[in-house]
Amino acid sequence: MADSSSAAPPWRFWRWKLHWQILLGMVLGILIGYSMARWAIATGGVRGASNVLEHNWLRLLCKTGGEMFLNALKLIVIPLVTSSITLAISVIASRQGFARLGTKSLVYFLSTTLLAVLLGLAFVNWIQPGFTGAEPLLTQEKAKQIQETFAVESQRLAASAALHDERSGETLFAKVLGVFKSLVPANPVKAAADMDLLGLIVIALFFGYFMSRLAGPVRETLQNFWQGVNDISLMFTQFVLQLAPLGIAMLLAHTIMDNYVSLAAEDRVADLVGALWKFGLTAAVALAIHLFVVLPLIFYTITGIGPQRLFKALMPALFTAFSTSSSNATLSVTIDCVEKNAGVSRQTAGFVLPLGATVNMNGTALYECVAAMFIVQLFGYQLDFAAQFLVVLIALLTSIGVAGVPSASLVAIIIILNSVSKQLGPGIDLTAGLAILMILDRPLDMFRTAVNVFGDAVGAILIAKTENEPLFQKSP
Ligand code: ASP
C-alpha cells in the first residue's frame, strides 16, 4: 500500500540512482550486443556474420539510438567549453589567481601523465607481451598481410600517417613551432566547426581575460550572456543524462556486436592472437592500476578523503567515458559530477576540466607507450634506454595533442613508431604493425578514456582543495 520512493520494490529500476541505472544499461547493452553477434555467427557463419547484421532492424535501431545519444553529448561541447573557460577566466583574472591555477593544472597534468607513461613502460618491459618464442612474431611481409586484412581501417590511418609523413622531414624545432602555430586559429567559427578544442580554449582564454578588463554595463551584459549559455549547457547535460541509461545500452549493444563479429573473423592472424591477448591484458592491468591505485593514492594523500567517495561521485562520468570512448563527449557529464557531487566551484571546474579533456590524457599516454613497445617487440627488437626514453617523451608530448575522440591515439602511435623506426635503421618500418592494434582498439579505448576522464576529474578536485574550496559536503 505504501508507495513512497524509499519503499519502492527493487525491480522499479527507473527509481534507482542514476549510476545504477547506467550500470543496468551497460549490462543490458553488453548482453544484447553479445547475443546478437552469436546469433549472426550461428546464422551466417564467421565470414558472413557482418552481412547478416548489416540490415538487421535491431542493430540499426541500436546504431541510430547510440549515435543520437553521442550527438546529444557532443553538441554541448562547444558552448560548454567556450562559456566555462570564458567565465572562469573573467572571474579568476580579476582575482589575480589565474597564473596560480594555470601553473597548478600544468604541474598536475604533466606529473600524472609522466607517472602513467612510466607505469605502462614498466609493465610492458616486465610482461613483454610481444615476445613469445625465439622467432619474432611479425615480419615486414606478415605485417603487410595484416594490413590488407584491415584494408578499410588501414586506409583511414594511412591518410593520417601521410599527413604526418609530409611533416616528418621537418626538424624537431620546426615541429614544436608548428604546435605553437596551431594554438592560434585564424577563424574562431571554423575552430568551433572543426572541434579544434585547443584553439578554441586559447580564444576563450583571451576573450575571458579581456572581458574582465571591460567596465560597466558592457561587461555585465557579456557576463550574463556567457552565464546563460553555461547554465543552459548544464541543464541540457542534466536532460541528456536522464536518457543516458538507454543511450549507453544502445551504444554498447551496437559497438559490441560489430566488434565481436569482426574479431571473430580474424582467425587469419591466429598465431598472433596469444600475443594480442597478452598485450590487451598488459594494457588493461596497467590502466587499472593507474585508475584504482595511483590516482586514488594521490587523491587520498592530498585530501585525506576516502577514495570510495571519489568513485561514487564520479561514477556517471566514468560509465559515460567507458561507453562513448570520448573524453570530449563525456566533458559535460564530468563537469556535472565534479560540481554537484564533489562540490568543486564552477570557476575551478570550468577552467581545469575543459583544459584537462583536451591536454591531459593519462590513459592515452600509458596506452601509447604500451602499444608502441608491443609492436617493437613483435618485430623482435629490444630497445635500449635512450630509445625507450624517446618513446616516453613522444608518448608524453603526443598525448597532449591527441583529440578526445575514439581511436585518436592510433595516430600518435604512428608518430612514435616512425621515430623508433628511424632510430633502428634504414628500411625498417614499424608502422606496418599498427593494423594489429586495431583488433583490440575499441575495448582498450573504453578503458583508456575512462582513465583520461578520471585523471581530469581528480585534477579538478585536487586543485579545488588547494584553493580551500569546501569539498564533498553532501553525500553524492
Ligand atoms: N578515446 C580517447 C579519449 O577520447 C583518446 C584516445 O586515446 O584514443 O580520451
Side-chain angles (χ1 to χ4, degrees):
M1 151 102 209
D3 195 23
S4 77
S5 61
S6 57
W11 50 265
R12 283 187 168 188
F13 57 86
W14 56 93
R15 293 277 180 88
W16 295 359
K17 283 215 165 119
L18 181 68
H19 53 260
W20 295 122
Q21 288 185 23
I22 294 180
L23 195 65
L24 177 71
M26 288 174 78
V27 172
L28 285 179
I30 291 171
L31 283 179
I32 294 172
Y34 176 74
S35 322
M36 285 291 291
R38 298 295 315 174
W39 166 78
I41 290 171
T43 315
V46 172
R47 299 262 170 261
S50 46
N51 290 339
V52 174
L53 278 182
E54 200 180 349
H55 300 294
N56 178 276
W57 68 271
L58 187 57
R59 176 180 172 275
L60 287 178
L61 191 73
C62 290
K63 184 171 186 285
T64 312
E67 280 170 0
M68 280 171 74
F69 173 66
L70 253 184
N71 284 350
L73 282 174
K74 284 187 196 158
L75 75 86
I76 321 172
V77 173
I78 298 296
L80 188 66
V81 167
T82 19
S83 62
S84 301
I85 298 262
T86 306
L87 283 174
I89 295 302
S90 70
V91 175
I92 296 165
S94 44
R95 278 199 334 227
Q96 303 296 327
F98 169 44
R100 195 183 59 230
L101 211 61
T103 314
K104 280 182 195 169
S105 306
L106 277 181
V107 169
Y108 171 84
F109 292 163
L110 282 178
S111 50
T112 49
T113 308
L114 184 65
L115 272 180
V117 181
L118 292 178
L119 184 69
L121 189 69
F123 258 77
V124 76
N125 273 318
W126 175 39
I127 300 181
Q128 309 226 323
F131 292 129
T132 40
E135 287 287 298
L137 278 165
L138 220 54
T139 55
Q140 295 287 339
E141 297 80 61
K142 209 173 198 177
K144 284 274 172 313
Q145 270 174 15
I146 299 170
Q147 246 174 354
E148 277 155 25
T149 313
F150 289 91
V152 179
E153 292 93 334
S154 294
Q155 264 162 21
R156 187 169 51 81
L157 272 177
S160 323
L163 205 77
H164 172 69
D165 266 353
E166 265 171 33
R167 302 180 55 182
S168 65
E170 290 178 349
T171 62
L172 190 65
F173 181 62
K175 276 186 192 153
V176 172
L177 286 183
V179 174
F180 277 105
K181 191 178 138 202
S182 67
L183 288 180
V184 188
N187 181 342
V189 180
K190 185 167 186 302
D194 292 346
M195 275 265 193
D196 167 15
L197 286 194
L198 207 54
L200 213 61
I201 285 176
V202 173
I203 298 173
L205 279 172
F206 279 102
F207 197 96
Y209 179 77
F210 292 128
M211 205 168 97
S212 74
R213 294 286 171 272
L214 290 175
V218 182
R219 176 184 168 166
E220 215 170 287
T221 310
L222 275 177
Q223 186 95 23
N224 286 340
F225 168 75
W226 286 113
Q227 191 64 55
V229 174
N230 198 251
D231 287 346
I232 290 176
S233 305
L234 291 173
M235 279 153 84
F236 192 77
T237 305
Q238 284 285 324
F239 169 70
V240 176
L241 262 176
Q242 300 306 312
L243 303 173
L246 183 66
I248 283 177
M250 290 175 133
L251 197 62
L252 274 184
H254 168 239
T255 309
I256 289 195
M257 64 181 101
D258 278 13
N259 279 276
Y260 188 95
V261 164
S262 57
L263 248 167
E266 286 328 315
D267 53 359
R268 264 177 284 176
V269 286
D271 51 343
L272 282 170
V273 164
L276 204 59
W277 283 119
K278 225 165 135 190
F279 156 69
L281 221 64
T282 310
V285 171
L287 285 169
I289 291 183
H290 196 70
L291 179 74
F292 292 113
V293 182
V294 178
L295 289 175
L297 214 64
I298 297 175
F299 172 79
Y300 181 70
T301 315
I302 295 181
T303 63
I305 300 170
Q308 72 282 4
R309 299 195 67 185
L310 176 70
F311 282 104
K312 210 167 164 196
L314 300 180
M315 211 120 59
L318 282 176
F319 289 159
T320 311
F322 186 80
S323 314
T324 58
S325 294
S326 166
S327 319
N328 288 357
T330 313
L331 180 61
S332 52
V333 185
T334 321
I335 294 186
D336 192 70
C337 290
V338 163
E339 281 182 13
K340 294 232 166 63
N341 302 343
V344 174
S345 74
R346 196 172 272 197
Q347 278 94 283
T348 307
F351 176 73
V352 180
L353 289 174
L355 202 62
T358 315
V359 303
N360 179 44
M361 303 231 168
N362 288 190
T364 293
L366 187 159
Y367 176 76
E368 279 178 29
C369 179
V370 175
M373 290 295 292
F374 170 64
I375 301 281
V376 172
Q377 291 174 356
L378 280 181
F379 278 98
Y381 296 108
Q382 286 275 14
L383 293 189
D384 58 12
F385 177 77
Q388 295 208 11
F389 179 74
L390 184 75
V391 173
V392 169
L393 198 69
I394 306 180
L396 189 73
L397 293 178
T398 50
S399 75
I400 297 174
V402 166
V405 296
S407 297
S409 33
L410 287 176
V411 179
I413 296 169
I414 296 182
I415 300 178
I416 303 182
L417 291 178
N418 258 330
S419 312
V420 177
S421 303
K422 284 206 186 86
Q423 296 263 313
L424 289 173
I428 295 174
D429 178 16
L430 297 174
T431 55
L434 195 80
I436 185 128
L437 293 181
M438 287 173 204
I439 304 175
L440 280 186
D441 188 59
R442 187 64 191 212
L444 292 175
D445 200 0
M446 293 166 142
F447 285 117
R448 64 183 186 254
T449 308
V451 176
N452 288 343
V453 166
F454 192 71
D456 300 339
V458 170
I461 298 173
L462 291 183
I463 289 165
K465 172 79 187 169
T466 62
E467 296 283 310
N468 294 323
E469 290 179 18
L471 298 172
F472 293 96
Q473 297 294 318
K474 66 175 175 107
S475 90

